[in-house]
Amino acid sequence: MKFFRQWAGVIASLILAGSGFLVSFGKEAHYFGLILGCVGLVAAAWQAWQVKKEMGDPYDLNKLWDSPLPEDIQPEAADYEPDQAYCHRCGHIVPDDFARCPDCGEPVR
């Protein structure tokens, strides 16, 4: 859904350009249709440039510094104690006696 919201201006501009060029094929208002089509194409190019600028480079590693670092990388359970094992697959905390998680079967030690 976000994709369509970002590109709505480009789509509207292309519709404007298409309708302008369609009008230019008629005998009347030939120049008006050409002007409307050219304005639509310029608006579509400008809108596409704005969307591209907003999206940015998906492989830019400098964006890693923009987000705050997580304060706590320990499991989220409040009753976590060091003598317990944490299942990284399903997120359950099990006693250290278990070699596998009782819920998903993943090895916890």
Side-chain angles (χ1 to χ4, degrees):
M1 201 65 173
K2 183 180 177 184
F3 175 80
F4 292 116
R5 277 187 267 129
Q6 286 178 337
W7 290 93
V10 177
I11 294 169
S13 300
L14 290 174
I15 290 172
L16 177 71
S19 64
F21 288 128
L22 188 64
V23 168
S24 70
F25 288 122
K27 292 183 181 180
E28 299 176 12
H30 176 69
Y31 294 113
F32 175 72
L34 286 176
I35 291 171
L36 191 63
C38 290
V39 167
L41 286 178
V42 169
W46 184 77
Q47 288 286 334
W49 180 66
Q50 292 293 321
V51 169
K52 177 67 177 164
K53 186 172 69 169
E54 180 182 318
M55 287 173 37
D57 184 15
Y59 301 109
D60 186 12
L61 295 179
N62 289 327
K63 291 181 182 179
L64 291 174
W65 300 107
D66 295 342
S67 63
L69 294 174
E71 294 177 12
D72 187 22
I73 57 172
Q74 293 294 323
E76 297 177 2
D79 57 333
Y80 178 74
E81 295 177 9
D83 63 337
Q84 294 177 334
Y86 178 72
C87 179
H88 294 282
R89 183 174 182 191
C90 65
H92 287 96
I93 296 175
V94 296
D96 201 26
D97 300 336
F98 289 98
R100 294 188 174 273
C101 178
D103 292 326
C104 66
E106 184 76 14
V108 293
R109 291 193 267 150

